[in-house]
Amino acid sequence: MSSELIMTSVDSDQEAKVVVSGEIDIYTARQFKEKLYQFVDNSTKDIVIDCSDLDYIDSTGLGIFVGALKKARLTDRNISLENIRDNIRKLFNITGLDKLFIIR
Amino acid sequence: MSSELIMTSVDSDQEAKVVVSGEIDIYTARQFKEKLYQFVDNSTKDIVIDCSDLDYIDSTGLGIFVGALKKARLTDRNISLENIRDNIRKLFNITGLDKLFIIR
Amino acid sequence: MESRDKIVVKLPCKPEYVSVARLTVSGVASRIGFDIDTVEDIKVAVSEVCSRIISVAGSSEKQYEIWFDISAKKLTISFSAKIERINCIFEDDEDGLGAAIINAFMDEVEYCPEGKDYILSMTKNFEVISCNGL
Amino acid sequence: MESRDKIVVKLPCKPEYVSVARLTVSGVASRIGFDIDTVEDIKVAVSEVCSRIISVAGSSEKQYEIWFDISAKKLTISFSAKIERINCIFEDDEDGLGAAIINAFMDEVEYCPEGKDYILSMTKNFEVISCNGL
Ligand SMILES: Nc1ncnc2c1ncn2[C@@H]1O[C@H](COP(=O)(O)OP(=O)(O)O)[C@@H](O)[C@H]1O
Ligand SMILES: Nc1ncnc2c1ncn2[C@@H]1O[C@H](COP(=O)(O)OP(=O)(O)O)[C@@H](O)[C@H]1O
């Protein structure tokens, strides 16, 4: 019911992984942006974002993914997205962002 | 999301059982009332209503349960309610209807 | 969250849209921080009032409005509808099931407001730590 | 269901209430018979417009309204808000992600209405069996 957003992250020797669950919209976006950008800046590895429990994302949220990717690319890294639900996958297709990210 | 109501019933030698799922509110009440009253009229046994999948009931719906019970009592029968969810059980307590029905 | 937000929903006096009222009130109540059980209670109370308005309105061509007044301490929900000759929508049914549910779930209910622009108003307080010397 | 029902929701121009708009639109769209995927699409499109209105409104003291016009053939959703000097809320961003999503999910979108009491209007048709000689 409530559109809270939870982001947890692990930056170990093996991987740099972010798990997002809940809803990324104009309300939760600012907090998410800060956390994600910080994670990208602090890590040195390719980044995996697990979207299994991401219920909803709007254009603000997609813009943040793009912003994070641009940051990662500055140091020759990539961002891949995992377990995206169909309704959200649709948004990546529509906007062409499916060609920007590694989606698996 | 949608507040549809589904009522299925079995009237066998062993039992007279009704399963309600979905929402009973002012919109779905009329159809539910007709079906339930008809079932009570046509059966000769005590009636069990399985509420496992009943998400929501309002005072209109509770009134229909009471009406059905009155009908059943005319021929010395009872109605018992099974597997009521907590949110709905609360309504029976508040209204005192928990003392009218066999709830198990 | 600031101290006085207002949300209004205007619906046709038709049974099929009471479910819309329920979803909206759930959204408002959970957004402003009520716990899940309280959200359910408020939803049920609102739905009872909507049903009652539809029953007494007499015409499905009419509309009613639900006003949400959000403050730091409470949520007040008021209903307005142009219903002729009726001031108390729960008149003759104050001991009915609907009113019993509303009374149990809301902290305050104004059933028959006089000279107001609403026909029923009810309030749910946010739980506060009691300072009553307890 | 009769041919022209209207539902209106009025919300503060604040990000925290866009979730309320989403729930309400989901309720309306599913009630009037859109399938679950289409309900999701309409919800996403509405949410994009709400976010945009909040972004350009400039003040969280303002309010905006979402109008649902329900007919047998389509659902039209219009938005109104008193936003000074802005007629096209997606101006300079017509190729942005928000507009791309809205365009993909709705059947018709009126982005910059002239002399209307709304600032954006969009329509989703109920699927009909084509009679185009197919
Ligand atoms: N606690 C109770 N015990 C027994 N019967 C009750 C109780 N509460 C309500 N009823 C009965 O349930 C039916 C529906 O109640 P209610 O919704 O209050 O009626 P109304 O349709 O007049 O509003 C009525 O027949 C009423 O007598
Ligand atoms: N299909 C695309 N491929 C690559 N980048 C894109 C694509 N669509 C949008 N972007 C980029 O995503 C970011 C956010 O997009 P958008 O939401 O349109 O921006 P704005 O915040 O200006 O509305 C921008 O940096 C934009 O350049």
Side-chain angles (χ1 to χ4, degrees), chain D residues 72-130:
Chain D
K73 291 189 178 156
K74 61 189 185 183
L75 169 65
T76 300
I77 305 171
S78 311
F79 299 81
S80 81
K82 293 201 180 59
I83 300 175
E84 277 108 53
R85 293 186 311 269
I86 297 176
N87 164 31
C88 304
I89 53 169
F90 280 90
E91 190 145 53
D92 307 325
D93 206 35
E94 276 139 36
D95 52 359
L97 298 172
I101 291 170
I102 294 166
N103 291 334
F105 286 158
M106 302 301 290
D107 291 321
E108 281 168 54
V109 187
E110 195 182 350
Y111 277 106
C112 303
E114 295 273 350
K116 299 284 175 59
D117 52 3
Y118 51 84
I119 54 174
L120 188 146
S121 177
M122 53 196 200
T123 295
K124 190 75 183 177
N125 301 319
F126 290 105
E127 266 179 65
V128 287
I129 292 136
S130 169

Side-chain angles (χ1 to χ4, degrees), chain B residues 59 63 66 70 95-97 100, chain C residues 93 96-97:
Chain B
S59 64
V66 173
K70 286 181 181 167
T95 54
L97 296 181
L100 222 57
Chain C
D93 206 35
L97 298 173

Side-chain angles (χ1 to χ4, degrees), chain B residues 55-81:
Chain B
D55 297 317
Y56 178 78
I57 188 167
D58 73 356
S59 64
T60 323
L62 293 173
I64 293 168
F65 277 10
V66 173
L69 183 63
K70 286 181 181 167
K71 268 185 180 296
R73 292 257 171 95
L74 291 176
T75 52
D76 265 335
R77 289 176 298 151
N78 242 319
I79 295 185
S80 49
L81 307 174

Side-chain angles (χ1 to χ4, degrees), chain A:
Chain A
M1 192 59 73
S2 167
S3 68
E4 298 311 319
L5 172 75
I6 298 167
M7 174 183 147
T8 55
S9 52
V10 186
D11 193 3
S12 68
D13 287 348
Q14 285 77 43
E15 56 169 8
K17 186 164 193 164
V18 171
V19 180
V20 276
S21 58
E23 307 196 326
I24 309 177
D25 72 353
I26 187 177
Y27 178 52
T28 55
R30 191 198 298 189
Q31 174 211 359
F32 175 63
K33 183 174 177 175
E34 258 176 41
K35 279 182 141 184
L36 183 64
Y37 284 15
Q38 202 168 49
F39 183 78
V40 174
D41 282 340
N42 292 341
S43 169
T44 54
K45 286 185 285 298
D46 283 346
I47 287 162
V48 176
I49 304 181
D50 183 341
C51 302
S52 335
D53 290 322
L54 183 62
D55 297 317
Y56 178 78
I57 188 167
D58 71 356
S59 65
T60 322
L62 294 172
I64 294 169
F65 278 10
V66 174
L69 183 64
K70 285 182 182 168
K71 266 184 182 299
R73 292 256 171 96
L74 292 177
T75 51
D76 265 335
R77 289 177 297 152
N78 241 320
I79 295 185
S80 48
L81 306 173
E82 263 186 10
N83 306 319
I84 303 187
R85 295 190 185 172
D86 288 350
N87 60 322
I88 290 169
R89 173 70 211 228
K90 203 152 108 179
L91 294 175
F92 278 89
N93 296 355
I94 284 168
T95 54
L97 296 183
D98 58 338
K99 292 174 201 87
L100 222 56
F101 291 89
I102 302 162
I103 296 184
R104 52 188 196 193

Side-chain angles (χ1 to χ4, degrees), chain C residues 26-85:
Chain C
S26 298
V28 174
S30 67
R31 168 48 75 222
I32 63 177
F34 284 107
D35 62 76
I36 190 165
D37 288 337
T38 309
V39 169
E40 176 78 15
D41 294 350
I42 299 171
K43 181 188 86 175
V44 171
V46 166
S47 190
E48 290 297 336
V49 179
C50 297
S51 302
R52 190 76 193 171
I53 289 173
I54 290 167
S55 301
V56 301
S59 158
S60 64
E61 295 304 302
K62 292 182 178 170
Q63 297 209 304
Y64 64 102
E65 291 186 353
I66 312 174
W67 293 67
F68 300 89
D69 272 271
I70 300 152
S71 77
K73 289 187 178 159
K74 61 188 187 185
L75 169 65
T76 299
I77 305 172
S78 311
F79 299 80
S80 81
K82 294 203 179 56
I83 300 174
E84 275 109 55
R85 294 185 309 272

Side-chain angles (χ1 to χ4, degrees), chain B residues 16-20 36 45-51 65 68-69 72-73 77-84 92 100-104:
Chain B
K17 185 163 191 164
V18 172
V19 180
V20 276
L36 182 64
K45 285 184 286 299
D46 284 345
I47 287 161
V48 176
I49 304 181
D50 182 342
C51 301
F65 277 10
L69 183 63
R73 292 257 171 95
R77 289 176 298 151
N78 242 319
I79 295 185
S80 49
L81 307 174
E82 263 186 8
N83 306 319
I84 303 186
F92 278 89
L100 222 57
F101 292 89
I102 302 162
I103 297 185
R104 53 193 194 188

Side-chain angles (χ1 to χ4, degrees), chain D:
Chain D
M1 206 164 286
E2 271 90 70
S3 65
R4 284 202 80 81
D5 288 335
K6 277 186 209 310
I7 293 173
V8 185
V9 189
K10 191 173 183 172
L11 291 164
C13 285
K14 298 186 177 180
E16 57 262 50
Y17 295 117
V18 174
S19 61
V20 174
R22 285 201 293 274
L23 273 179
T24 305
V25 64
S26 298
V28 173
S30 66
R31 166 50 73 222
I32 63 178
F34 284 107
D35 64 74
I36 189 165
D37 287 338
T38 309
V39 168
E40 176 78 14
D41 292 351
I42 299 171
K43 181 189 86 174
V44 172
V46 166
S47 190
E48 290 297 335
V49 180
C50 296
S51 302
R52 191 77 194 167
I53 290 174
I54 291 166
S55 301
V56 300
S59 158
S60 64
E61 295 305 303
K62 293 183 179 169
Q63 296 209 304
Y64 65 102
E65 291 186 353
I66 312 174
W67 293 68
F68 299 90
D69 272 87
I70 300 153
S71 78
K73 291 189 178 156
K74 61 189 185 183
L75 169 65
T76 300
I77 305 171
S78 311
F79 299 81
S80 81
K82 293 201 180 59
I83 300 175
E84 277 108 53
R85 293 186 311 269
I86 297 176
N87 164 31
C88 304
I89 53 169
F90 280 90
E91 190 145 53
D92 307 325
D93 206 35
E94 276 139 36
D95 52 359
L97 298 172
I101 291 170
I102 294 166
N103 291 334
F105 286 158
M106 302 301 290
D107 291 321
E108 281 168 54
V109 187
E110 195 182 350
Y111 277 106
C112 303
E114 295 273 350
K116 299 284 175 59
D117 52 3
Y118 51 84
I119 54 174
L120 188 146
S121 177
M122 53 196 200
T123 295
K124 190 75 183 177
N125 301 319
F126 290 105
E127 266 179 65
V128 287
I129 292 136
S130 169
C131 297
N132 268 346
L134 296 174

